[in-house]
Amino acid sequence: MGEIKAPGLVEIEEGVRMIPGANTLIGPLNKIVNWSRSGSIWPVTFGLACCAIEMMDAGASTNDLDRFGIIFRASPRQADCMVVAGTLTKKMSPVLRRVYDQMPEPRYVLAMGSCACSGGIFETYAVTQGVDQILPVDVYVPGCPPRPEALLEGFLKLQEKIDQEQYRWSQWR
Amino acid sequence: MEPMEIVRRLDTAFPGEVLESIAYQGQVGVLVRRERIVAMMQWLRDMPEVQMNHLMDLCGVDNKKRQLEKGERFEVVYNLYSISHRHSLRIRAMIPENDPSIDSVTGVWTGANWHERECFDLFGITFNNHPDLRRILLPDDWEGFPLRKEYSLKGKKEWQGMIDLQEKVAKLAKYDFSSQQSGTDKGSTAQEPGEKHE
């Protein structure tokens, strides 16, 4: 015979078990916290230029971001992700950094579009060559502008990245 | 009224101010001297048959690489339109290189305010009697005038605000979270700003 399994515990995912009827989940804290964080990424919109239109399109009805739990928040204090969509000029850079500094942990940055990734076609005196000159970026979504599906894939990649984090919620990070 | 007729009347009203007029593809451009520009603009706006009540555009030009028979290095170009008479005209005021300044026409059309600020910001052409002449597109402490021909595409030196920001980013980098996939090295260490997460 096989081993005796504890009755009543249903394994949902690797490591995570559920007691049906009691509506209880038992699992490693990393997994549970990562699941809840990746399932509710709330970005603060930082739409600077044309990519903002595509970001709005991704949030609109045809390609819906809300079904992934992504709700756009206006204030950085209530957000956990920042989508930098558009060209970042040098005049705007201190402002961007300020908004990023106001976001509480955990926070992620998604650089959307060629200009945010690397300055795009604007290799000039007034454009910061990429948002990663002043912020740590988690996901780069290239395109000019990236299609809404591409931004969606960027968010999915961010979700995968969050799912692999270890101990970010703790003092041992 | 035909644009060339307007030019003729302008020349009669302000003798010696009109240097040249160019008609091309139905559009007329008039090269003028800059000394009595405000009086000329007021005449163009107030004369009943001309009535240029809409300033469509005001911009600057750097002619350094252009061969002109008569002309200075800088120009300020006024694109005028009459809403009532539906005719338009282009006035090009010549500005010498050693004294890049001209009177402001904000008293004639208030909409010229920001256009003149942009012209000042990017070319360095000063507008006398402008109510609020300061940079509009670039940061206030920017050095140099980018649209002049000698200003290279990437500029000479970095803006001071950007240098300050890079220093601040370097100081704050130790609070960044670095997520390593291996999971063994859990701490966040001081990183260079801009280092990608793994």
Side-chain angles (χ1 to χ4, degrees), chain A residues 90-94 97-98 100-101 105 107 123-126 128 132-138 140 161 164-168 172-173, chain B residues 136-139 142 146-147 151 153-155 158-159 162 165-166 168-169 172 176-177 179 181 183 186-188 193-194 196-198:
Chain A
K90 292 196 176 154
K91 191 173 180 182
M92 189 63 174
S93 303
R97 179 75 210 192
R98 210 160 168 172
Y100 175 75
D101 288 338
E105 274 285 334
R107 54 189 178 184
E123 204 178 334
T124 70
Y125 56 90
T128 315
D132 53 9
Q133 303 276 324
I134 52 172
L135 296 181
V137 176
D138 291 290
Y140 295 83
K161 185 169 185 183
Q164 313 216 342
E165 280 177 345
Q166 306 279 326
Y167 301 106
R168 188 162 179 168
W172 309 287
R173 47 204 295 254
Chain B
I136 187 170
L137 296 169
L138 291 165
W142 193 276
L147 253 54
Y151 197 99
L153 185 58
K154 303 209 191 135
E158 186 69 273
W159 173 50
M162 199 67 193
L165 182 64
Q166 306 271 26
K168 177 177 157 189
V169 168
L172 290 174
D176 289 339
F177 176 79
S179 61
Q181 300 291 39
K186 308 193 277 286
S188 70
K196 293 185 198 163
H197 288 171
E198 268 143 15

Side-chain angles (χ1 to χ4, degrees), chain B residues 4 7 10 12 20 28 38 44-45 47 52 64-65 67 77 98 136 157-158 168 173 178 180 186:
Chain B
M4 285 314 284
V7 177
L10 183 69
T12 324
E20 194 183 342
V28 174
V38 179
L44 282 165
R45 184 192 59 171
M47 220 47 228
M52 296 288 189
K64 184 157 183 180
K65 295 194 177 167
Q67 280 97 10
V77 179
N98 52 3
I136 187 170
K157 60 186 182 74
E158 186 69 273
K168 177 177 157 189
S178 96
Q180 257 108 17
K186 308 193 277 286

Side-chain angles (χ1 to χ4, degrees), chain A residues 38 41 65 67-68 70 110 139 141 149-163:
Chain A
S38 64
I41 299 176
L65 284 176
R67 58 197 164 119
F68 295 96
I70 295 172
L110 194 145
V139 176
V141 183
E149 292 96 348
L151 179 62
L152 211 49
E153 164 131 15
F155 272 115
L156 292 180
K157 286 249 176 310
L158 182 61
Q159 283 183 347
E160 283 170 27
K161 185 169 185 183
I162 297 175
D163 284 335

Side-chain angles (χ1 to χ4, degrees), chain A residues 9-156:
Chain A
L9 273 178
V10 176
E11 176 131 357
I12 310 178
E13 217 181 277
E14 189 200 337
V16 180
R17 285 161 294 177
M18 181 177 91
I19 304 176
N23 284 336
T24 313
L25 280 174
I26 301 171
L29 196 51
N30 267 334
K31 256 196 175 346
I32 293 182
V33 167
N34 289 344
W35 163 80
S36 58
R37 281 179 182 173
S38 64
S40 71
I41 299 176
W42 286 6
V44 62
T45 59
F46 214 84
L48 295 165
C50 1
C51 276
I53 308 289
E54 290 293 331
M55 181 168 66
M56 291 182 225
D57 194 359
S61 53
T62 310
N63 321 283
D64 188 11
L65 284 176
D66 197 7
R67 58 197 164 119
F68 295 96
I70 295 172
I71 307 176
F72 284 101
R73 307 293 302 173
S75 161
R77 302 279 185 189
Q78 299 164 3
D80 52 8
C81 168
M82 180 155 84
V83 180
V84 186
T87 317
L88 182 67
T89 53
K90 292 196 176 154
K91 191 173 180 182
M92 189 63 174
S93 303
V95 177
L96 179 72
R97 179 75 210 192
R98 210 160 168 172
V99 170
Y100 175 75
D101 288 338
Q102 288 176 345
M103 285 168 64
E105 274 285 334
R107 54 189 178 184
Y108 310 96
V109 175
L110 194 145
M112 176 184 179
S114 304
C115 291
C117 293
S118 71
I121 55 170
F122 302 114
E123 204 178 334
T124 70
Y125 56 90
V127 171
T128 315
Q129 302 298 301
V131 150
D132 53 9
Q133 303 276 324
I134 52 172
L135 296 181
V137 176
D138 291 290
V139 176
Y140 295 83
V141 183
C144 189
R147 274 195 64 91
E149 292 96 348
L151 179 62
L152 211 49
E153 164 131 15
F155 272 115
L156 292 180

Side-chain angles (χ1 to χ4, degrees), chain B residues 64-109:
Chain B
K64 184 157 183 180
K65 295 194 177 167
R66 213 170 153 194
Q67 280 97 10
L68 287 176
E69 296 86 31
K70 53 179 107 176
E72 309 281 355
R73 177 169 176 195
F74 292 115
E75 288 176 24
V76 174
V77 179
Y78 303 83
N79 279 296
L80 306 175
Y81 181 70
S82 170
I83 299 172
S84 23
H85 297 301
R86 300 185 191 176
H87 51 224
S88 60
L89 187 62
R90 184 176 301 120
I91 308 273
R92 295 163 55 178
M94 293 291 156
I95 314 245
E97 184 174 352
N98 52 3
D99 173 32
S101 67
I102 188 174
D103 291 332
S104 164
V105 296
T106 359
V108 185
W109 299 284

